[in-house]
Amino acid sequence: MIKVAIYGKGGIGKSTTTANLSAALSKKGLKVMQIGCDPKSDSVKNLCGGKKIPSVLEILRTKKTDEIKLSDLVYEGYNGVLCVEAGGPTPGIGCAGRGIITAFEKLEELNAYEIYKPDVVLYDVLGDVVCGGFAMPIRNGYADFVFIVTSGEMMALYAASNIVSAINNFGNRGYAKYAGVILNSRNVENEVEVVQKALGEIGGKIVQIVPRDGIVQMAENQGKTVVEAYPESEMTDVYMKLAEKMLEACNV
């Protein structure tokens, strides 16, 4: 089992990329689990027919702890992808980062990884704030590798720099390794060159360029990934190549 955390600035297309990556990996015959670590709880929506699934924190708020089963927390989505949403606290009350910690602890308590035995676990993590909770996938052996979704926009690259700093802070303790960036194009002028220049300072390399294409929105309007909705499209080929390159970078 390899465990991969995918970080990125809010609104950069991180969840869309992660869901398509999960779908692509599943098409390669791998058993995939995707865990959304964003309080919005919309990471796996396009793997589940456009519907939001109950989050771990929602279940914890509505059921007695000893009554909670794995089937309350883990849902099967497109092509058998196992879907989990960590969720967040009631708006205005509590810490979203703490919510991720609570969700992870509950999944471990119920032996989720041992029971489902996924080949790949993808953590989809908000990267605007890398506090203790949002840094959880980097720490304590949760993730083996970290990829960052970015564009050529300055705020996205600034977030990427912060995430790499967090990874480096934990790197000497044997935690997750930084594996590079996924360039989710926004058609910024000289975008590839801008990102490569930034990576000269931040470190790392572009693992895959994901071009901007309206077919992604068309698929999302159907509540699906591109891989499901348009399997013969060029964008599906892009996500399949991303899956291959991710596995290569993780030495699989």
Side-chain angles (χ1 to χ4, degrees), residues 27-45:
K27 294 295 282 184
K28 289 184 172 293
L30 296 170
K31 192 170 188 180
V32 184
M33 175 180 279
Q34 180 171 323
I35 302 177
C37 303
D38 187 320
K40 295 194 305 296
S41 302
D42 59 356
S43 175
V44 301
K45 188 172 68 172

Side-chain angles (χ1 to χ4, degrees), residues 45-107:
K45 188 172 68 172
N46 290 325
L47 291 164
C48 297
K51 296 176 183 176
K52 280 191 174 186
I53 62 171
S55 72
V56 175
L57 289 195
E58 282 176 326
I59 298 298
L60 286 171
R61 283 195 290 266
T62 56
K63 281 196 169 188
K64 293 179 180 178
T65 303
D66 58 357
E67 293 177 352
I68 296 173
K69 305 185 296 290
L70 263 180
S71 57
D72 296 321
L73 312 178
V74 183
Y75 290 76
E76 188 170 310
Y78 168 70
N79 206 35
V81 176
L82 301 165
C83 299
V84 181
E85 290 285 3
T90 303
I93 303 171
C95 167
R98 179 63 206 168
I100 293 170
I101 295 170
T102 303
F104 280 20
E105 288 173 346
K106 193 63 186 176
L107 288 169

Side-chain angles (χ1 to χ4, degrees), residues 112-127:
Y113 305 119
E114 292 80 4
I115 290 170
Y116 287 109
K117 296 182 171 61
D119 300 304
V120 182
V121 179
L122 296 180
Y123 300 100
D124 172 17
V125 196
L126 183 67

